[in-house]
Amino acid sequence: MDKAVTTHKLTKKFGDFVATDEITFEVAQGEIFGFLGANGAGKTTAMRMLCGLLTPTSGEATVAGYDVYTQPEQIKQRIGYMSQRFSLYEDLTVRDNIRFYGGIYGLSRAELKTKSASIIRELGLDSVADALVESLPLGWKQRLAFSVALIHDPKVVFLDEPTGGVDPITRRQFWDKIYEAAHNGTTIFVTTHYMDEAEYCDRVSIMVDGRIKALDTPTELKRTYGVDSMDGVFQILARGTSGK
Amino acid sequence: MIYIITTWFAPSSIHRSSLLIMQRILYMIEKEFKQLRRNKVLLRMMLAAPVMQLILLAYAANFEVKNLKIAIVDQDHTTYAQRLAGKFRYAERRQIGNFLFQGYLPNSKSAYEELLAGRADLVLIIPPHFERDLGKENQASVQLLVNAIDGTKGGIASGYAQTIIRDFNLAIRTENIDFDAGSLAGLNVTNQYWYNPRLEYKTFMVPGILFELMLLIGGMIAALNIVREKEIGTQEQLNVTPIKKHEFILGKLTPFVIIGLIQFTLGLVVGRFLFQIPIEGSLLLIYGFAFLFMLLSVGLGLLISAISDTQQQAMFVVFFCLVIFILLSGLFSSTQDMPQWAQYLNLLNPLKYIIEVGRNVLLKGSTLRDMQSQFFTLLGMAIALIGLASWRYRKTV
């Protein structure tokens, strides 16, 4: 198993509507894989199929070497997931949230203790460790959610628009965390709207109307389309307008 | 306050996997109690509800008819007429009904007005020649106007009035004809009421209210709890973890069963010491049934949460079920007097069975042997509901 994620003609239909249309791609281990597309392009649907939240209509897919149809529980033990909606418990404290998710992932008491201490220390949350999560600023919550998604050292972590609604400085800090995780060998699968974030990815795929229109490194994509930014590439592909 | 500190250790790696299952359930339970402890409003409501409802229903919402407002139209103005009126005016002293005398009215037209305005519940009209007819023809009639908008109250009011009139009748006949009162009243019927000798309304209601509340907590609070997780997105987060279906269900079920039993205890203590409810049967038996019923209630809540996407939907479904269950349960009216179709419908009403159990075990001292049909029915329902809920609950959509 050397690929973190593979798909072959993966398709999801909702009635007559084809949300993802025969998408095929591979993600290498330890890669930061950007998944771009306009709203409604099918990014979230594709991601939810890979996480075992949605059953594909047809096609094949594996995550961490396991089949999405037959081995969803093995996949779930090996992936982390951070949805668009903030999904920690607002009415629990920082420490309680870490303890709960760690416990659900089957961490031992000793592991929980060290994980909890290291997350709180790394995020600089010592002063608010026993405060309710609802009292934290959004940027802090998102970094905490990311750390919690990594609590069981997953092979692949799926991030669905993780930086929506936060300021540029917090986004930069968030991406530092992503680099750090990738450096430790975790594969990052991230969807985003921000084109500057696309530049940070090892490889980027751009989805339009349920299909993958382009897939390459940011440098190659810019060269292919003759523009000097990912924003230009996205304008040409996603909006169907020329960025020139 | 409820505080759970989980301390468990994995003694060796061999036991790790079987402990893991237990561990997830315990973390779920711990989380639920932590959240509940912070939800002060809900916590207070859940503890106050049994006490409040028991007091309200047992004292305020009862069927005893008191303080009936009576007015009298006396068109005869004779001794007999005044004596009859007096019986009503001073009925309270003689413990027949509870009439509040509002005064005399000049004619039947004003009697209608008083009834219409709600200033009287009952008007007694003594017609002219009442005494003369009674003396001459040995019979006379009076008219009773009863406000029957509230049918129960009207019926009871007219019952009280007839008792008083019969009393009066007996009194004057003995006086005039010099009858031997003893022989007249040769047949004397005395009622003896078993299991609730003083016909205490509270004794009858309290066991019912206790279980109705458990259904409310189990059904409503559990359903809303899970649907809320769906709404805020934590359910989705849980669905990408390796948590198993049965771990999730057991983790959600347990806290509510515990809360329900705490409430039941509270209600039972209030019932026992505030309302002097007898506890004739085995306490262990009644707790066994309470536990079973709580499983059933939470099972219903889980099923409702599995078919609802929003708290609004869940709330409406719970309310729909609860109102039907409560109205048909026999809490307020006897199930045996209901039409046949309602009785068939009632075969599916868990509240009906548990109220039977509550009343029989608490008031009559029934044993498990007496209650076995209720036991198996409730057990079957609990299994069916939890089974359906587990089947409907999906980690994948």
Side-chain angles (χ1 to χ4, degrees):
Chain A
M1 186 205 83
D2 52 353
K3 294 292 176 193
V5 179
T6 66
T7 70
H8 182 70
K9 294 191 170 182
L10 190 66
T11 302
K12 180 70 189 181
K13 293 178 184 165
F14 297 104
D16 289 338
F17 175 66
V18 186
T20 58
D21 192 3
E22 301 199 339
I23 56 172
T24 302
F25 62 88
E26 286 182 343
V27 181
Q29 275 188 57
E31 192 176 11
I32 301 179
F33 188 79
F35 214 54
L36 272 61
N39 287 325
K43 293 171 302 193
T44 302
T45 306
M47 185 178 269
R48 287 168 61 89
M49 282 192 283
L50 296 173
C51 293
L53 288 169
L54 272 177
T55 314
T57 311
S58 63
E60 290 153 31
T62 65
V63 176
Y66 294 95
D67 185 80
V68 292
Y69 292 97
T70 56
Q71 298 163 308
E73 297 307 308
Q74 281 91 330
I75 291 177
K76 282 171 184 172
Q77 186 65 50
R78 288 164 183 83
I79 59 164
Y81 173 68
M82 193 181 150
S83 70
Q84 275 174 12
R85 287 192 289 179
F86 174 74
S87 46
L88 296 178
Y89 291 92
E90 302 251 341
D91 53 351
L92 291 181
T93 66
V94 171
R95 220 186 283 279
D96 289 342
N97 268 293
I98 298 172
R99 179 179 162 85
F100 173 68
Y101 281 111
I104 293 296
Y105 277 110
L107 266 57
S108 72
R109 277 181 67 81
E111 285 169 331
L112 258 181
K113 213 171 175 181
T114 45
K115 275 283 179 189
S116 183
S118 72
I119 289 175
I120 289 168
R121 194 183 54 244
E122 278 169 28
L123 297 180
L125 294 175
D126 304 81
S127 57
V128 289
D130 292 309
L132 295 187
V133 166
E134 66 185 1
S135 67
L136 303 183
L138 184 63
W140 295 25
K141 287 183 191 173
Q142 277 164 328
R143 282 194 296 157
L144 177 62
F146 181 59
S147 297
V148 169
L150 290 172
I151 197 163
H152 54 300
D153 299 321
K155 293 247 188 301
V156 189
V157 59
F158 292 90
L159 308 171
D160 196 358
E161 288 173 23
T163 53
V166 298
D167 61 81
I169 296 165
T170 315
R171 267 169 56 201
R172 185 64 236 189
Q173 287 174 333
F174 194 93
W175 273 87
D176 286 342
K177 299 291 296 177
I178 292 179
Y179 277 129
E180 195 186 307
H183 182 74
N184 293 333
T186 310
T187 308
I188 312 282
F189 191 105
V190 56
T191 72
T192 182
H193 277 313
Y194 299 106
M195 289 307 130
D196 58 329
E197 290 187 348
E199 310 265 2
Y200 304 149
C201 298
D202 293 329
R203 282 194 309 149
V204 168
S205 85
I206 298 179
M207 273 189 92
V208 181
D209 297 333
R211 291 167 179 272
I212 293 181
K213 275 281 182 77
L215 201 173
D216 216 324
T217 60
T219 321
E220 274 304 311
L221 283 173
K222 281 182 280 188
R223 188 183 306 155
T224 309
Y225 291 94
V227 288
D228 54 5
S229 70
M230 278 307 292
D231 197 35
V233 177
F234 190 76
Q235 292 290 341
I236 295 169
L237 287 170
R239 308 215 194 280
T241 59
S242 143
K244 286 168 227 163
Chain B
M1 282 299 106
I2 305 150
Y3 223 108
I4 289 207
I5 298 156
T6 24
T7 39
W8 58 86
F9 300 91
S12 72
S13 55
I14 307 157
H15 293 109
R16 189 69 197 280
S17 63
S18 63
L19 271 173
L20 195 61
I21 298 168
M22 222 23 228
Q23 176 182 328
R24 287 208 189 103
I25 297 173
L26 287 171
Y27 276 112
M28 282 286 293
I29 295 171
E30 181 191 276
K31 181 215 98 183
E32 292 301 328
F33 276 114
K34 275 181 183 163
Q35 286 182 301
L36 187 69
R37 201 179 36 158
R38 298 219 168 84
N39 196 341
K40 293 271 175 353
V41 178
L42 184 66
L43 197 64
R44 277 192 210 123
M45 281 299 293
M46 288 200 299
L47 295 179
V51 183
M52 279 294 293
Q53 287 211 9
L54 278 175
I55 291 174
L56 274 179
L57 277 166
Y59 277 127
N62 64 30
F63 290 136
E64 289 173 63
V65 177
K66 282 183 180 153
N67 302 329
L68 287 163
K69 287 174 281 186
I70 185 169
I72 296 170
V73 181
D74 184 357
Q75 297 169 326
D76 196 36
H77 303 292
T78 55
T79 329
Y80 272 177
Q82 272 170 25
R83 269 179 68 185
L84 180 58
K87 286 253 184 198
F88 278 95
R89 292 179 62 176
Y90 308 112
E92 200 161 357
R93 284 189 211 154
R94 302 155 55 98
Q95 293 182 330
I96 307 167
N98 284 288
F99 290 106
L100 278 184
F101 182 60
Q102 303 293 304
Y104 284 104
L105 299 172
N107 49 39
S108 45
K109 186 171 169 289
S110 54
Y112 293 134
E113 280 163 8
E114 290 299 291
L115 281 174
L116 210 58
R119 286 189 291 268
D121 298 310
L122 180 90
V123 179
L124 173 74
I125 302 181
I126 306 172
H129 317 304
F130 171 70
E131 190 180 87
R132 197 192 68 192
D133 291 351
L134 203 59
K136 269 190 179 168
E137 292 163 36
N138 209 15
Q139 62 177 37
S141 47
V142 290
Q143 190 182 10
L144 266 180
L145 301 176
V146 184
N147 178 356
I149 283 180
D150 178 347
T152 317
K153 191 175 177 185
I156 290 173
S158 111
Y160 285 153
Q162 280 169 25
T163 310
I164 294 176
I165 294 166
R166 212 172 34 241
D167 242 30
F168 171 75
N169 203 10
L170 188 68
I172 57 164
R173 285 179 73 185
T174 0
E175 282 166 26
N176 287 6
I177 313 163
D178 205 17
F179 229 156
D180 178 2
S183 72
L184 188 79
L187 199 63
N188 205 352
V189 179
T190 332
N191 294 317
Q192 199 171 9
Y193 300 100
W194 283 27
Y195 310 124
N196 186 1
R198 283 178 297 151
L199 285 181
E200 276 277 10
Y201 178 77
K202 295 181 209 84
T203 311
F204 188 63
M205 287 302 281
V206 170
I209 295 167
L210 277 177
F211 289 109
E212 170 253 321
L213 262 169
M214 288 178 79
L215 187 62
L216 190 75
I217 294 302
M220 177 108 73
I221 309 290
L224 290 184
N225 175 288
I226 299 171
V227 179
R228 183 165 162 268
E229 291 220 24
K230 273 192 197 177
E231 281 185 352
I232 60 178
T234 45
Q235 182 70 54
E236 184 173 288
Q237 193 67 43
L238 272 179
N239 287 348
V240 293
T241 72
I243 194 166
K244 302 271 186 315
K245 230 183 201 190
H246 68 269
E247 292 166 346
F248 176 81
I249 295 216
L250 274 173
K252 282 286 183 190
L253 201 73
T254 316
F256 294 107
V257 170
I258 293 173
I259 293 163
L261 289 176
I262 292 174
Q263 274 200 318
F264 180 72
T265 308
L266 199 66
L268 207 59
V269 169
V270 171
R272 181 75 193 89
F273 295 103
L274 201 62
F275 302 121
Q276 280 82 42
I277 298 306
I279 301 178
E280 298 290 340
S282 145
L283 212 52
L284 190 69
L285 179 64
I286 200 76
Y287 265 93
F289 268 108
F291 176 71
L292 178 61
F293 187 66
M294 210 51 221
L295 281 179
L296 186 153
S297 306
V298 181
L300 179 72
L302 286 171
L303 182 61
I304 290 170
S305 73
I307 59 173
S308 315
D309 291 322
T310 64
Q311 294 192 63
Q312 224 175 12
Q313 288 171 5
M315 184 81 129
F316 188 80
V317 178
V318 171
F319 207 74
F320 177 82
C321 295
L322 273 181
V323 168
I324 292 178
F325 284 162
I326 291 173
L327 285 179
L328 287 179
S329 67
L331 186 59
F332 299 110
S333 49
S334 164
T335 53
Q336 281 147 17
D337 298 335
M338 290 175 188
Q340 197 60 47
W341 60 265
Q343 293 197 30
Y344 285 134
L345 203 61
N346 236 347
L347 293 176
L348 293 170
N349 184 355
L351 202 54
K352 168 195 177 271
Y353 297 100
I354 197 71
I355 286 181
E356 282 170 10
V357 171
R359 285 174 180 163
N360 281 306
V361 174
L362 289 177
L363 310 185
K364 220 159 107 178
S366 297
T367 61
L368 182 57
R369 183 186 286 271
D370 304 318
M371 294 287 110
Q372 55 180 328
S373 83
Q374 282 90 344
F375 175 75
F376 286 114
T377 314
L378 288 170
L379 185 67
M381 284 178 171
I383 292 171
L385 282 170
I386 295 172
L388 265 175
S390 325
W391 175 72
R392 278 289 315 210
Y393 169 70
R394 297 257 157 75
K395 286 179 75 181
T396 316
V397 283

